[in-house]
């Protein structure tokens, strides 16, 4: 390997390590009680596990490797753009612009062939441009919802999120496949039973 390419790869991996420092609004329940905020790297791992479990359950033929590649890169732009809370309209209004600029920085430090490949995966995910991208997006939305249910709806309560507020995020995930709809409906039932998400 060319030394400059090796240095670019190591530099990118060091940058990617910063994803562990990007906090999300979702909470992780700690053993023995208490909570802390989930970070984006933990989210990506949990999302990958979800995809691994569900890819054979859905009707569409899913290239798991491609879906997992999108999952691995989908939140790297948050290193520069930060996490955008789904229920913050002001932040959501500027999200696409901020994340495009962040993608220039994050993927631009790689050798051109690798940078174009990873950016292409990120863009495919964002656009929902394939069965794999839609599957990965469904998993992404479901993981965030699951994290809220697992933590007793703490982030929802902190931000005044109601059931109706979640439809715009969860309806597209439910539309990916009946398996997603079934699992998400079960999570809604748990949220309702636990008083986590007011009607």
């Amino acid at each position: 390997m060319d030394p400059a390419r090796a240095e670019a790869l190591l530099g990118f991996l060091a940058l990617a390590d910063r994803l562990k420092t990007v906090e999300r609004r979702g909470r992780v329940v700690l053993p023995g009680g208490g909570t802390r905020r989930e970070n984006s790297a933990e989210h990506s791992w949990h999302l990958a596990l979800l995809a691994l479990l569900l890819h054979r359950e859905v009707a569409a033929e899913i290239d798991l490797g491609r879906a997992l590649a999108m999952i691995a890169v989908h939140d790297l732009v948050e290193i520069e753009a930060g996490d955008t809370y789904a229920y913050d309209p002001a932040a959501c209004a500027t999200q696409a612009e901020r994340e495009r600029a962040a993608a220039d920085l994050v993927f631009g430090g790689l050798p051109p062939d690798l940078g174009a490949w990873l950016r292409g995966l990120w863009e495919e995910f964002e656009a929902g441009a394939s069965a794999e991208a839609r599957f990965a997006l469904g998993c992404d939305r479901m993981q965030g919802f699951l994290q809220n249910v697992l933590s007793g709806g703490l982030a929802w309560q902190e931000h005044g999120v109601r059931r109706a507020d979640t439809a715009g995020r969860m309806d597209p995930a439910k539309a990916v496949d009946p398996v997603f709809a079934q699992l998400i409906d079960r999570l809604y039932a748990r949220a309702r039973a636990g008083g986590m998400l007011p009607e």
Side-chain angles (χ1 to χ4, degrees):
M1 179 181 292
D2 175 80
R5 187 174 179 87
E7 285 302 313
L9 288 174
L10 292 174
F12 176 78
L13 291 171
L15 175 68
D17 190 65
R18 288 177 36 208
L19 193 63
K20 298 171 187 174
T21 69
V22 177
E23 288 189 332
R24 296 168 52 85
R25 302 289 173 94
R27 298 287 184 159
V28 175
V29 177
L30 301 173
T35 66
R36 65 168 173 78
R37 287 173 73 171
E38 177 188 38
N39 70 53
S40 286
E42 291 169 323
H43 159 72
S44 293
W45 162 79
H46 206 198
L47 171 54
L49 185 60
L50 186 62
L52 186 63
L53 293 172
L54 293 185
H55 87 281
R56 292 184 180 170
E57 303 293 328
V58 297
E61 193 71 29
I62 299 298
D63 177 339
L64 180 61
R66 186 161 191 84
L68 290 174
M70 280 184 259
I71 288 167
V73 303
H74 87 286
D75 274 345
L76 288 175
V77 296
E78 292 182 0
I79 293 165
E80 296 294 339
D83 179 60
T84 302
Y85 186 52
Y87 305 107
D88 179 345
C92 288
T94 64
Q95 180 179 6
E97 181 182 334
R98 287 183 291 108
E99 289 188 351
R100 273 192 304 276
D104 292 342
L105 294 170
V106 171
F107 302 123
L110 279 163
D113 61 318
L114 293 177
W117 177 51
L118 294 190
R119 177 141 191 175
L121 288 168
W122 175 73
E123 289 174 348
E124 181 179 344
F125 174 88
E126 289 296 311
S130 64
E132 287 75 18
R134 290 184 292 279
F135 171 77
L137 176 67
C139 291
D140 182 47
R141 300 282 173 90
M142 193 166 115
Q143 190 280 334
F145 198 88
L146 171 63
Q147 194 64 47
N148 272 295
V149 172
L150 292 175
S151 66
L154 290 175
W156 287 331
Q157 293 159 14
E158 288 171 0
H159 300 283
V161 177
R162 304 181 76 72
R163 166 97 170 58
D165 300 325
T166 66
R169 282 195 66 75
M170 300 316 297
D171 287 352
K174 289 171 70 172
V176 169
D177 187 273
V179 167
F180 282 92
Q182 179 184 17
L183 292 171
I184 291 166
D185 284 343
R186 286 178 172 269
L187 290 172
Y188 269 120
R190 289 181 184 188
R192 186 168 34 263
M196 302 172 202
L197 195 56
E199 299 290 332

